[in-house]
Amino acid sequence: PRLQSRNQETTSTKHTIFMTQDSSPGPSGFLYQTYRCDLWRGFFDGALSAGAQTFSLFIAIRYYSAGEGIKSLIAGAPFMGMILSLLLVHHLSGKGLKKSACGAWPSVITGICLIVAAWAPSLELFALAVIAGYIFRGALLPFLTSIYHDNYPHDQRGFYFSKPLLMTVGISGLFGYVGSSLLEVSLNYYNWLFTWLGVCGLAKAWAIYSMPSQTLEGKSHDHPFGNLKYAVQDREFGYVLLTWFIMGFANLWILPLRVDYVASSTYGIEASPLMVALIITIVPETMRFFFIPFWARLFDQMNFVVLRMILNVLFGTGIALFFMSKNLMVIGAGSALIGISFAGGSIAWSLWVTKYAPPGRVTAYMSVHVCLTGIRGTIGPMIGYWAAAQIGTTMTGWVSCGMMFLATALLVPEIKRGRRPPPTS
């Protein structure tokens, strides 16, 4: 009876911490309010994600007949925003601003820009507004990660982050379907589609601003790129960043080539539009949705370096399967593995810095990680297309796979450090 009573008390306590609507200062109030606001953020960000991945380029191509230069800038806008995040963190540090405010204002700019794009009278204004909007959407990420570090328990960050991520993935797919159906009726409906995207940007800003947060830390340097010094001063952080750059570059330069491989007649596959959508989007996104909770538990419980190595191997195997055959079943299996890997990669990418950065430096560390992602995301596809022209898409896929396994091998010496306790200074 005593054990039963204690178990009931523990269950009741956990339930109270998770379900209470108390927003007063303290772990339980901050945790719940952050989690609740982040669910709303994930909901509105799902629509914005669909806008970045599908509708911005679609309207530029089909409605405005945009050229290659404008299409490239629109596609690269989110990665440009990641590079900008390093400068934004530097500029806002030490100004006495709350992290939630620093994360909210870029989203306000995103919302306004997308509403302007909705009613732009020319391709140039449409492109400028969309590019600016998605640049600022990518620039706020370090502030969010820092809020997660402050408000979520270190051994449950993956759990609490995974639910809003599921919301983002689910809403992105749903909004993509609804928006595509609307544009099938008439391309002129894009005005209202982008107006809604702008409203989602403003609503996302409200959700972030409502999160309880601390004041943004001060800066310890005067140079706008000064945060990059942490990649050198913190040897373990810098080494993992190096392996991540190799893996991430190998992943990002091959992503656009997947469409060419299954859709182009050059490789003898020339799949139907429905099959292309199934292999490139539906299969991997479905697998990503279902495997996010699984990877969230592993992120909280297991050695992070081992987890990163497992994800690298899965990514590499998925890419090898995708490009080793012309059989659509084999290609589909590779696409499914890539989707499973992205489920874990999304969580690890967003939260791993919280395992390495000391208190007071999470935003700065994350700005370095996000900036380097932006660099490889901006130049990766261009180099990927160049490599495919030189050695062929299939061989480029195999090179990408080899880089994945190289990044994995480089992490072996770091395994013993992957279980280190949360930094305290």
Side-chain angles (χ1 to χ4, degrees), residues 228-299:
L228 292 172
K229 69 181 182 182
Y230 297 121
V232 178
Q233 292 179 354
D234 189 332
R235 194 204 70 82
E236 294 177 24
F237 174 65
Y239 189 79
V240 175
L241 272 178
L242 171 64
T243 64
W244 207 304
F245 196 93
I246 296 171
M247 185 283 302
F249 187 84
N251 188 19
L252 290 173
W253 80 332
I254 205 70
L255 282 181
L257 296 180
R258 292 187 300 154
V259 179
D260 282 354
Y261 187 68
V262 297
S264 174
S265 59
T266 305
Y267 305 101
I269 299 176
E270 203 170 1
S272 67
L274 177 60
M275 185 58 67
V276 172
L278 184 69
I279 290 174
I280 301 300
T281 304
I282 298 174
V283 168
E285 287 299 301
T286 301
M287 301 304 290
R288 182 185 175 201
F289 182 86
F290 283 114
F291 275 85
I292 283 174
F294 169 76
W295 291 114
R297 286 195 299 272
L298 290 185
F299 179 85

Side-chain angles (χ1 to χ4, degrees), residues 13-160:
T13 302
K14 289 181 179 179
H15 180 75
T16 302
I17 289 175
F18 185 76
M19 294 303 296
T20 179
Q21 296 195 20
D22 172 31
S23 59
S24 59
S28 62
F30 281 179
L31 186 153
Y32 177 77
Q33 189 176 347
T34 303
Y35 177 73
R36 181 183 60 185
C37 293
D38 204 37
L39 284 172
W40 282 111
R41 179 206 60 79
F43 178 90
F44 294 116
D45 203 37
L48 292 170
S49 177
Q53 295 174 1
T54 305
F55 298 121
S56 296
L57 273 176
F58 184 81
I59 294 301
I61 294 169
R62 293 288 293 275
Y63 189 86
Y64 286 108
S65 301
E68 294 298 324
I70 288 180
K71 288 189 292 185
S72 299
L73 289 173
I74 291 175
F79 294 105
M80 297 177 207
M82 291 181 180
I83 299 174
L84 176 66
S85 69
L86 189 72
L87 307 180
L88 192 63
V89 168
H90 169 79
H91 179 71
L92 297 179
S93 295
K95 299 291 179 64
L97 300 172
K98 285 192 171 183
K99 297 173 185 177
S100 56
C102 295
W105 280 110
S107 193
V108 170
I109 297 174
T110 295
I112 294 172
C113 287
L114 292 178
I115 292 174
V116 171
W119 305 99
S122 65
L123 167 62
E124 291 74 19
L125 183 56
F126 171 83
L128 179 64
V130 166
I131 291 167
Y134 280 103
I135 282 176
F136 278 96
R137 176 177 175 254
L140 59 82
L141 295 170
F143 306 111
L144 272 179
T145 300
S146 190
I147 293 173
Y148 300 147
H149 172 271
D150 296 339
N151 295 354
Y152 289 157
H154 72 89
D155 59 345
Q156 292 181 292
R157 288 187 189 120
F159 170 78
Y160 285 110

Side-chain angles (χ1 to χ4, degrees), residues 154-177:
H154 72 89
D155 59 345
Q156 292 181 292
R157 288 187 189 120
F159 170 78
Y160 285 110
F161 176 74
S162 67
K163 309 307 177 184
L165 181 59
L166 278 172
M167 184 75 75
T168 298
V169 174
I171 294 300
S172 178
L174 178 62
F175 186 74
Y177 172 77

Side-chain angles (χ1 to χ4, degrees), residues 191-382:
N191 305 109
W192 297 107
L193 189 67
F194 273 79
T195 299
W196 174 245
L197 288 175
V199 171
C200 287
L202 297 175
K204 176 185 171 184
W206 161 79
I208 296 173
Y209 189 78
S210 300
M211 294 179 183
S213 69
Q214 301 177 15
T215 302
L216 187 63
E217 305 89 357
K219 52 194 173 189
S220 58
H221 48 79
D222 296 324
H223 195 278
F225 294 96
N227 284 339
L228 292 172
K229 69 181 182 182
Y230 297 121
V232 178
Q233 292 179 354
D234 189 332
R235 194 204 70 82
E236 294 177 24
F237 174 65
Y239 189 79
V240 175
L241 272 178
L242 171 64
T243 64
W244 207 304
F245 196 93
I246 296 171
M247 185 283 302
F249 187 84
N251 188 19
L252 290 173
W253 80 332
I254 205 70
L255 282 181
L257 296 180
R258 292 187 300 154
V259 179
D260 282 354
Y261 187 68
V262 297
S264 174
S265 59
T266 305
Y267 305 101
I269 299 176
E270 203 170 1
S272 67
L274 177 60
M275 185 58 67
V276 172
L278 184 69
I279 290 174
I280 301 300
T281 304
I282 298 174
V283 168
E285 287 299 301
T286 301
M287 301 304 290
R288 182 185 175 201
F289 182 86
F290 283 114
F291 275 85
I292 283 174
F294 169 76
W295 291 114
R297 286 195 299 272
L298 290 185
F299 179 85
D300 287 334
Q301 295 171 8
M302 75 179 296
N303 184 312
F304 166 73
V305 173
V306 174
L307 175 67
R308 182 67 263 177
M309 292 171 69
I310 293 172
L311 289 171
N312 288 357
V313 170
L314 288 177
F315 265 121
T317 305
I319 290 172
L321 284 175
F322 195 100
F323 289 100
M324 72 183 294
S325 171
K326 296 180 181 179
N327 186 300
L328 290 178
M329 293 295 292
V330 177
I331 295 173
S335 187
L337 265 183
I338 292 172
I340 292 171
S341 307
F342 265 121
S346 301
I347 295 169
W349 187 91
S350 299
L351 296 178
W352 80 277
V353 165
T354 64
K355 293 180 178 289
Y356 282 78
R361 289 286 177 262
V362 176
T363 311
Y365 272 53
M366 189 63 181
S367 70
V368 176
H369 171 51
V370 172
C371 177
L372 292 177
T373 302
I375 291 173
R376 60 180 176 260
T378 301
I379 66 175
M382 293 185 288

